[in-house]
Amino acid sequence: MKKIEIFDPAMCCSTGVCGPSVDPDLTRIASVVYSLEQKNFDVTRYNLANDPGAFTENKKVNRMLHEKGADVLPIILLNNEIIKSGDYPTNEEFAKWLDVKESELQQKPKVSISLDFD
């Protein structure tokens, strides 16, 4: 099974819905991660603000940060090898790397809320 790790820049959350406006790229990545998790891919995201230890413990990520600075984030690893940095992968790239169809990467979490109007 292929393993994807995403080392995100510091942010309040990974959904892209926080802040003054919605970040469509982050919401797309959140949907891709959700879709891959539903297919039992091993996907882990690390947020520099919440998981700084993950950035120092991974020698490849740590070295890249020291050499190029925080602008190199996000860093994407596939099976422990850096395959992209400085920008999030496109759905086409995810599909190619993981041998899935792009159309399979657009699932969105469904949330059910029961309301009581009494």
Side-chain angles (χ1 to χ4, degrees), residues 3-8 33 37 41-46 51 77:
K3 177 181 178 184
I4 292 277
E5 293 175 280
I6 301 171
F7 290 81
D8 289 303
V33 168
E37 289 173 340
F41 279 97
D42 185 0
V43 182
T44 306
R45 292 184 80 176
Y46 303 103
D51 307 306
L77 277 69

Side-chain angles (χ1 to χ4, degrees), residues 64-81:
M64 201 160 186
L65 279 169
H66 278 280
E67 290 174 0
K68 299 183 178 182
D71 288 342
V72 75
L73 296 173
I75 298 174
I76 316 304
L77 277 69
L78 174 63
N79 296 333
N80 301 316
E81 296 296 326

Side-chain angles (χ1 to χ4, degrees), residues 34 108-116:
Y34 176 79
K108 294 188 170 111
K110 294 180 180 167
V111 177
S112 173
I113 301 172
S114 63
L115 299 174
D116 185 5

Side-chain angles (χ1 to χ4, degrees), residues 18-35:
C18 300
S21 63
V22 174
D23 183 332
D25 208 27
L26 285 176
T27 57
R28 179 186 60 80
I29 292 298
S31 292
V32 168
V33 168
Y34 176 79
S35 299

